[in-house]
Amino acid sequence: MAYPTAVRTHFTAMSASASPLWRVLSTGRRVPAVPARHGPLVVAPFATAVESPTAQDVNPAQILRNVRPKLLIDGDFVDAASGKTFPVLDPRTEDVIAQVAEADAADVDRAVGAARRAFDSGPWRKMSGRQRGRVLSRLADLLEERAEEFARIETLDNGKPLALSRGFDIPFVVSHFRYFAGWADKISGKTLQTNSNTFAYTLHEAVGVAAAIIPWNLPLLMMALKAAPALACGCTVVLKVAEQTPMSALLFGELALEAGVPPGVFNILPGYGPTAGAALVAHPGVDKVSFTGSTEVGREIMRGAADGVKHVSLELGGKSAAIVCPGVDLESVVEEAHDALFMNQGQACAAGSRTFVHESLYDEFVERAVERAQRATVGDPFGDVQLGPLVDSAQLEKVLGYMREGAAQAGAGYLCLVAEYSYLIYRLNGSLIGVATQGAVVRCGGSRIGSKGYYVEPTVFSDVRDEMSIAKEEIFGPVQSIMKWSSVEEVLDRANASPYGLGAGVWTKDLDLANRISRGLRVGTVWVNCYNQFDDAAPFGGYKMSGFGRDMSEYALQNFTEVKAVVTPLQDPAWI
Amino acid sequence: MRIAASPTCRLLSTGRRVPAVPARHGPRVVAPFATAVESPTARDVDPAQILRNVRPKLLIDGDFVDAASGKTFPVLDPRTEDVVAQVAEADAADVDRAVGAARRAFDSGPWRKMSGRQRGKVMARMADLLEQRAEEFARIETLDNGKPLAESRAFDVTAVVSHFRYFAGWADKISGKTLQTNGNMFAYTLHEAIGVAGQIIPWNYPLLMLAWKVAPALACGCTVVLKVAEQTPMSALLFGELALEAGLPPGVLNILPGYGPTAGAALASHPGVDKVSFTGSTEVGREVMRAAAGGIKHVSLELGGKSAAIICPDVDLESVVDDTHMALFYNHGQNCCAGSRTYVHESLYDEFVERAVERAQRATVGDPFGDAQIGPLVDSAQFEKVLGYMKAGKAQGAVLRCGGGRAGPKGYYVEPTVFSDVRDEMSIAQEEIFGPVQSIMKWSSVEEVLDRANANPYGLAAGVWTKDLDMANRLSRGLRAGTVWVNCYNYFDDAVPFGGYKMSGFGRDLSEYALNNYMEVKAVVTPLEDPAWI
């Protein structure tokens, strides 16, 4: 099952089920689609989020009834040593739905101690790969049986549409554990050909205690991308989950114990980066740090790991190019480029956030992309919507800041100067507030929706120039920036000019062009005539400032193995 | 390449036979030791003649140039402490020029657009050219580093030739995979050159460390900026000439002699560098990793070690004493994988110590252009550091069985030194000395010796001597070290990976695994329309 295909199908089905110009909001009210207006500075009106009727059926306490809001250390759910807790909010309502134990350095120390013991002397390492694989496979089965419960927790915690949690996140996690269950008994070294009477072979050994720090955008899936290969390799794990979205991982921890993962092998710490995360990275008992999150924090992680010369793998930010070539079917490409950016409300590190459209298609593409964005339904993620709220207020403010920055300002020369100056002020202040314009044209969206919940309008900018912050920096929100290109050399240069190099999409029916662009792009994943197609067997990770190391696939095993060479002389060998 | 075990009796470089002095037992007895003497061959050694073809400059973009600052630094002969050359001193401005050249060569030069087979041909030619001038390189290496000429000839230079040939053969075999997916999708990976590799190497195997870094990087299609150690820049500079002669395009291999805090730090943090590869101390390795963090650069580190040599009860003592002697004293102990914690089973301990001392006393120290087994240490800093550990060993209560001081009045010669009754908590048992100081400990149970061997923060290598297959397997698995030598030590082969666990670093040099250091993995994914199978 290619999950994103399912998701795409899901989105497509939703598009198909409604008339092209009218979408039914989750309230059932019909909202007229407003035709895109051309010309500068026009903000198209956008359907505001309204409370879904389904939302009234959603009882957070009921959804979270089986989650123990604690730390999982050494097989037990325990309070933080400090006794502290932190609130978890419902991004739909900003209401507190749980108080969760807040891990800090003392808890990290306990958890790493448990993981260390479990690695050094516990049964996990002495189980065969086949036995470990059976445990992981059982874990996948248990999750699958309770998929609906997990999907609802994920949507409640993160705000992503329930259809996405059901159709993508949870099934992907099930599949990922099954996939790596199958690797557990296939992690083998090599025998080597040497240049003399010597026998040499390698052993691929578990690296030891793996620390994993994961973000909030795909909470359970990020857990799976780290924990499944680590456990398959025989490592023990201390997982710090994001403070915004700790709930699904905690329930998953229960399943892990139920499936037979020995105590101490998988420890889960909800908490904050500067306290729990930093302590975990610096802890001398940790052999390996795997992090997914922002480039800024990634740097800190790498610096924090340097003292202990720990192995590090980083999956960081992106500003991925979606390159639309002439000769494509505009209808489907507009849809795919839309999903490339707007899936998960744009809160995806691989989001296709620089849409490069060939000049021959540009105007029509922009028109259709705006129309498509305007048809996207925003609302309660438990309803039948395509976009839910952003995850929290910090994310909301950040995205609104970028919308303001990108908001249109006619291209008069002095205004361009003002824009540059303003941008400088913004950089100097380090603040996202107050700077208006850089000269792009906002074609739709650009604002918050409502005053409660972290909803924003799907936003499309056209006439975006590469030097604008919305074209350079990771927004991590539903803001599509559409640029124009004319020659292949040019678009390759521009796509590669970003310091990031995570993903890219290319749409063309021309095989030579597909091959040329696939090789030319300095990114970890190139999707050709598709986007966000993830498969357990395909590696994912970045070039350049998007990090190093690969999650998923056989390549991910390298993140959690050490290579040991064993060498011994051969006495009177039959052959060498 | 096997480091040849020495015969039981060796000649000093003077030609005088030195009797093996019986080990004296009892605490704190310093056995008399042959002091270094000037070799007659040394008088034939003319540094200027040896270095006649070396251009003491920076190699940037195919040209040998002065440092932007115009600065130079002196390179000393470790035998005499005399200045043998003034070499251009790279700093940040030169790093910037060199990285710029490497960047252009990678982004738009011909190197990346050559096929792997073409790149392999250039590399094989480099190996051939080096082989033709092996003697010249061996002499430069010995002059610069102080290692015995016999080792420069038989190990260092020979290994470099072999290493370039081995990786020349990889250049056209670096391939991705096609992947089985779970839907109507075609996915494959491309293993692409990572880009510009910034490489920083130490002085203990100057040309060989170059080979370990440069050969896999070039095979992968990377371009390189190599910072060579300020103690030993000469052989790499001459190698740079051969590389150009072999057809390596300008800018693909840039070589910068210079110091770590200036040139090295600038290289590790330069935004044009995609990958940093470092071999050296753990302390500097940390700094390199921190500097690379700003640009999220790929890093591989091959750092310090405190490797255990474990002798089990069932061995042939004669050969094991010799193997473990070489495990530590090879290259004067200036070896990251030196077997510097000799763990001997209690049933053999006393006899082992006696023989090990005898063996160390038979080791000849002298001019490395002569017949000596041990030449001078590389420089005064290293010399002082090693003497400091000799003092610390005595002060902390280990029993000094032989050596323990300077040898000779001039040059950085020290006596091969053996401590017995060493306890694990002593600094000579915990820290990397990087000198000819053997520490011998006693063990009684396998669990215990495994725990003690693993208790060290380093995890580079280990040696195990036993005839018992079960024991060999148990120890090989139990040791948290990147290389385990069973019934041998310091056996290197191009095809066998080398690198550390724990504080000894990460990433592997040598072998197919080293290719991982210089490749990015790109996944390409596209839908399949009406596929015959999935």
Side-chain angles (χ1 to χ4, degrees), chain B residues 500-520:
Chain B
Y501 281 46
K502 302 193 284 182
M503 302 287 264
S504 294
F506 47 77
R508 293 292 178 267
D509 287 332
L510 302 154
S511 81
E512 180 176 359
Y513 295 90
L515 301 172
N516 290 333
N517 292 339
Y518 300 101
M519 292 183 315
E520 285 275 20

Side-chain angles (χ1 to χ4, degrees), chain A residues 1 195-196 202 204-205 207 299 307 518 521-522 524 526 528 535 543 550 555 562-565 567-569, chain B residues 182 189 191-192 194 286 290 294 476 479-480 482 484 486 491 493 501 508 513 520-523 525-527:
Chain A
M1 168 175 22
N195 201 23
S196 64
T202 57
H204 293 188
E205 298 190 332
V207 79
R299 285 194 188 102
D307 254 351
S518 297
L521 288 163
R522 301 278 296 160
V526 179
V528 180
D535 191 286
Y543 281 45
R550 293 293 177 267
Y555 295 90
E562 282 274 21
V563 175
K564 176 188 281 179
V567 182
T568 192
Chain B
N182 199 23
T189 57
H191 292 186
E192 298 190 333
I194 213 167
R286 288 192 185 107
R290 280 193 203 102
S476 297
L479 287 161
R480 302 278 295 159
V484 178
V486 179
Y491 177 92
D493 191 288
Y501 281 46
R508 293 292 178 267
Y513 295 90
E520 285 275 20
V521 175
K522 177 187 281 180
V525 181
T526 193

Side-chain angles (χ1 to χ4, degrees), chain A residues 104-106 108-109 112 213 272-284 286 310:
Chain A
D104 64 17
V108 166
D109 198 50
V112 173
I213 300 177
Y272 294 89
T275 51
L280 186 54
V281 169
H283 198 290
V286 168
K310 299 185 207 309

Side-chain angles (χ1 to χ4, degrees), chain A residues 400-422:
Chain A
L400 291 176
Y402 277 109
M403 288 174 172
R404 280 195 290 271
E405 268 186 62
Q409 188 68 262
Y414 85 94
L415 283 177
C416 286
L417 283 173
V418 167
E420 293 297 332
Y421 179 67
S422 306

Side-chain angles (χ1 to χ4, degrees), chain A residues 24-74:
Chain A
V24 179
L25 260 189
S26 48
T27 50
R29 282 196 296 129
R30 277 180 173 269
V31 176
V34 178
R37 297 184 198 168
H38 298 288
L41 301 185
V42 177
V43 178
F46 190 76
T48 52
V50 289
E51 208 183 340
S52 156
T54 58
Q56 279 141 28
D57 306 333
V58 172
N59 177 351
Q62 208 273 338
I63 290 176
L64 299 176
R65 70 195 177 280
N66 292 318
V67 180
R68 288 198 270 177
K70 304 221 174 185
L71 318 178
L72 174 55
I73 296 178
D74 213 4

Side-chain angles (χ1 to χ4, degrees), chain A residues 486-502:
Chain A
S486 49
S487 82
V488 179
E489 293 76 14
E490 169 218 324
V491 76
L492 262 178
D493 282 352
R494 290 167 66 196
N496 284 335
S498 169
Y500 294 113
L502 191 54

Side-chain angles (χ1 to χ4, degrees), chain A residues 11-354:
Chain A
F11 274 109
T12 309
M14 284 171 45
S15 312
S17 69
S19 68
L21 292 175
W22 293 84
R23 289 287 299 162
V24 179
L25 260 189
S26 48
T27 50
R29 282 196 296 129
R30 277 180 173 269
V31 176
V34 178
R37 297 184 198 168
H38 298 288
L41 301 185
V42 177
V43 178
F46 190 76
T48 52
V50 289
E51 208 183 340
S52 156
T54 58
Q56 279 141 28
D57 306 333
V58 172
N59 177 351
Q62 208 273 338
I63 290 176
L64 299 176
R65 70 195 177 280
N66 292 318
V67 180
R68 288 198 270 177
K70 304 221 174 185
L71 318 178
L72 174 55
I73 296 178
D74 213 4
D76 290 319
F77 283 85
V78 297
D79 291 323
S82 67
K84 280 204 282 186
T85 63
F86 64 91
V88 174
L89 306 188
D90 182 339
R92 303 170 309 149
T93 60
E94 310 182 30
D95 295 340
V96 174
I97 50 172
Q99 286 286 341
V100 176
E102 180 186 336
D104 64 17
D107 307 299
V108 166
D109 198 50
R110 280 196 293 169
V112 173
R116 190 79 256 167
R117 284 189 303 279
F119 182 76
D120 291 341
S121 50
W124 192 237
R125 252 174 110 192
K126 298 217 170 183
M127 285 167 66
S128 70
R130 210 149 303 160
Q131 287 173 302
R132 283 200 310 276
R134 269 195 82 188
V135 172
L136 295 180
S137 175
R138 216 177 294 139
L139 189 45
D141 293 346
L142 290 174
L143 177 62
E144 194 168 43
E145 286 164 18
R146 292 171 71 172
E148 178 63 16
E149 182 179 4
F150 275 90
R152 295 176 77 81
I153 292 171
E154 210 70 334
T155 288
L156 179 67
D157 218 10
N158 168 279
K160 66 178 65 200
L162 184 58
L164 192 61
S165 298
R166 283 176 180 153
F168 181 67
D169 294 69
I170 307 303
F172 200 159
V173 175
V174 171
S175 171
H176 212 59
F177 271 89
R178 267 194 200 125
Y179 173 82
F180 277 105
W183 269 119
D185 60 0
K186 294 165 198 76
I187 297 166
S188 303
K190 310 176 188 226
T191 59
L192 306 170
Q193 207 185 118
T194 68
N195 201 23
S196 64
N197 280 5
T198 303
F199 173 41
Y201 60 91
T202 57
L203 299 171
H204 293 188
E205 298 190 332
V207 79
V209 174
I213 300 177
I214 59 170
W216 45 258
N217 61 334
L218 302 149
L220 203 63
L221 183 55
M222 290 298 112
M223 181 282 302
L225 261 54
K226 307 298 186 192
L231 295 175
C233 290
C235 290
T236 60
V237 174
V238 180
L239 174 77
K240 190 201 87 67
V241 294
E243 69 272 18
Q244 294 91 343
T245 55
M247 308 314 273
S248 54
L250 289 170
L251 187 57
F252 187 81
E254 303 245 19
L255 299 196
L257 296 173
E258 192 183 333
V261 175
V265 171
F266 188 32
N267 306 276
I268 302 176
L269 303 178
Y272 294 89
T275 51
L280 186 54
V281 169
H283 198 290
V286 168
D287 297 298
K288 153 85 193 182
V289 180
S290 176
F291 171 75
T292 294
S294 73
T295 295
E296 191 186 344
V297 176
R299 285 194 188 102
E300 290 307 314
I301 300 265
M302 193 169 167
R303 288 194 190 105
D307 254 351
V309 191
K310 299 185 207 309
H311 298 233
V312 175
S313 52
L314 301 172
E315 201 270 86
L316 307 176
K319 194 72 193 177
S320 299
I323 300 176
V324 182
C325 300
V328 294
D329 168 29
L330 210 52
E331 175 88 15
S332 69
V333 173
V334 164
E335 183 71 22
E336 286 169 7
H338 173 87
D339 285 351
L341 184 277
F342 289 98
M343 180 176 155
N344 214 39
Q345 292 83 250
Q347 298 172 142
C349 47
S353 54
R354 292 186 293 157

